[in-house]
Amino acid sequence: MPLREIFATLYLWADAHAVAILMAALAWGLGGALLARIGKAGQSDRDGRAIASVVIGGAVLVFVMAVMAFAVAQVGFNKGVLDANVLLLAAPLLCLLASVVGIHWVFPLSELATVHTLRDVAVFIIACAAGLWSLSKFRGWGVVFLGGLGGIVVIGVMAAALLRVLYRRAVGRSG
């Protein structure tokens, strides 16, 4: 079975079960918040924080998978977002929204390790994308605009050092 048929079959299955997928997405966020609230009520709030981190991480994972599915639909099938089932489009957004609002009701988001990690990864990805975008705009003429080869080397070393720090912060050891 070709990969194209697998994706088409998966979408048809998801389209047939769109309401159940939407309800499961909402249940993930709201149920996770309830479980985190129960875990917080114990002797320590460590269990609640662990549940909250899993809920936020799972919601972000669902959202990223939805974005990748949209990219596959656009590139592989020439279908846009407007061609998809509205319930399937809303499910990852509502899952993320319900998770963030529900967990924020239980814990401040700044206290969760998952949120710090996601922020660090997002900053690293944005920095890489900005660097690639700026390099794509020069097309070899950057030496002229930056004042010579020495200037471009200094800027390149500084950019590499910044990306290294961001990379270590995003995926390196904690502590």
Side-chain angles (χ1 to χ4, degrees):
M1 177 180 253
L3 196 56
R4 178 180 295 274
E5 289 180 22
I6 292 172
F7 284 135
T9 304
L10 286 174
Y11 179 75
L12 291 175
W13 178 86
D15 190 34
H17 298 91
V19 174
I21 290 172
L22 181 66
M23 291 299 131
L26 288 172
W28 175 264
L30 299 176
L34 182 64
L35 286 175
R37 183 77 171 168
I38 293 169
K40 181 181 180 180
Q43 289 181 350
S44 71
D45 59 355
R46 193 171 135 199
D47 293 336
R49 289 184 194 280
I51 293 169
S53 291
V54 168
V55 170
I56 294 289
V60 170
L61 181 66
V62 166
F63 184 77
V64 168
M65 287 174 50
V67 169
M68 289 179 7
F70 297 148
V72 166
Q74 179 71 35
V75 173
F77 295 97
N78 290 330
K79 298 288 184 183
V81 175
L82 298 177
D83 295 325
N85 186 338
V86 70
L87 296 177
L88 294 177
L89 292 173
L93 294 172
L94 290 176
C95 178
L96 188 61
L97 182 69
S99 297
V100 169
V101 170
I103 295 302
H104 181 67
W105 173 62
V106 179
F107 291 108
L109 295 177
S110 62
E111 294 180 2
L112 298 177
T114 303
V115 174
H116 291 288
T117 302
L118 290 173
R119 184 196 62 216
D120 293 341
V121 169
V123 168
F124 175 70
I125 289 172
I126 290 170
C128 287
L132 288 174
W133 176 81
S134 65
L135 288 175
S136 73
K137 294 299 173 190
F138 288 117
R139 299 184 194 262
W141 292 97
V143 175
V144 174
F145 296 117
L146 294 175
L149 190 58
I152 201 165
V153 167
V154 168
I155 290 173
V157 167
M158 290 174 57
L162 174 67
L163 287 177
R164 184 173 182 209
V165 167
L166 291 174
Y167 176 79
R168 284 191 170 183
R169 189 171 172 183
V171 297
R173 286 186 286 158
S174 62

